[in-house]
Amino acid sequence: AWAEAPQFKIDAANSSIAFIATQNAAPAKGEFKIFGGIIRFDPVRPAESSADIAVDMASVATSYAEMTEGLKTDDWFNA
């Protein structure tokens, strides 16, 4: 009998969602500070594995305050 894939809760305190963007031809590091989710991984049936991740778009932060505020507008994340 087939068992349901094991579930793993994302440990946000020890994980990150990070990105690098460009502003005025300079790289800017950014991240989302609030997120969570569940990962289901089935090593026998990897194609049936999945992840459900929720990200608080208002928790975006970058190395430039102007970019951070711009990302929160309706032009980007509408947060």
Side-chain angles (χ1 to χ4, degrees), residues 5-7 11-12 15-16 20 22 26-27 29 33 41 44 46 56 59 65 76 78:
Q7 293 187 11
D11 180 0
S15 304
S16 65
I20 297 177
T22 304
K29 293 181 180 180
K33 295 184 175 274
F41 178 70
V44 176
D56 180 348
S59 74
W76 290 95
N78 196 27

Side-chain angles (χ1 to χ4, degrees), residues 4 15-16 21-22 29-30 36 38-42 44 49-51 57-58 60 66 69 74 76:
E4 186 173 322
S15 304
S16 65
T22 304
K29 293 181 180 180
I38 300 290
I39 298 171
R40 291 172 201 82
F41 178 70
D42 186 340
V44 176
S49 299
S50 65
M57 303 308 274
V60 68
E66 183 179 314
E69 292 310 309
D74 58 1
W76 290 95

Side-chain angles (χ1 to χ4, degrees), residues 8-12 35-39 51-54:
F8 304 93
K9 182 177 178 186
I10 294 174
D11 180 0
F35 61 92
I38 300 290
I39 298 171
D52 293 314
I53 300 171

